[in-house]
Amino acid sequence: MLSIFPSLLAFEGFAPLLLRLTVGAVFALWAYGKLKKRTNSQDIGLGVIEALIALGLVLGTLTQIAALVAAIVLGIRLVQKIQQKAFLTDGINYYLILFIISITLLLTGPGFLAFDLPL
């Protein structure tokens, strides 16, 4: 395969690193918001799940499991938005991109600076 910048291929592990840090930061923000409110037990449970996803992705521990759970959570949110007839609006595109990134992390692994061993 030809590449315009073949020397950059040595850094291919940085792409999953950047993706998992981005998705991890988003889930950490969502978890913080839910755990700060503590309105009901369902929000607290979802906040804990989101916090565990964020921790796994940011630290690079059990990345593929965290990415799988993230994809499931985001898939559920996408289905809910489709049922509300809000698919492919500006807010939904955000969930769709995060869903695709989660699937990508599930398939490619954690990248550089992770504590994971390939499963």
Side-chain angles (χ1 to χ4, degrees), residues 31-96:
Y32 176 74
K34 284 185 180 66
L35 294 174
K36 185 178 177 184
K37 284 189 223 174
R38 297 184 187 180
T39 54
N40 59 29
S41 61
Q42 184 179 4
D43 279 348
I44 293 172
L46 188 56
V48 169
I49 291 171
E50 290 174 348
L52 291 173
I53 291 169
L55 191 64
L57 291 175
V58 170
L59 294 178
T61 55
L62 301 174
T63 303
Q64 290 177 308
I65 293 171
L68 176 63
V69 176
I72 291 169
V73 169
L74 291 164
I76 291 169
R77 288 186 182 179
L78 282 170
V79 168
Q80 289 171 345
K81 294 298 181 179
I82 290 170
Q83 290 174 346
Q84 296 172 356
K85 307 236 188 294
F87 191 61
L88 292 181
T89 59
D90 288 338
I92 302 311
N93 295 340
Y94 179 64
Y95 290 130
L96 184 61

Side-chain angles (χ1 to χ4, degrees), residues 11-22 101 104-105 108-112:
F11 301 104
E12 66 185 350
F14 278 110
L17 168 69
L18 295 174
L19 292 174
R20 73 179 165 82
L21 289 178
T22 302
I101 291 173
T104 302
L105 287 171
T108 62
F112 291 150

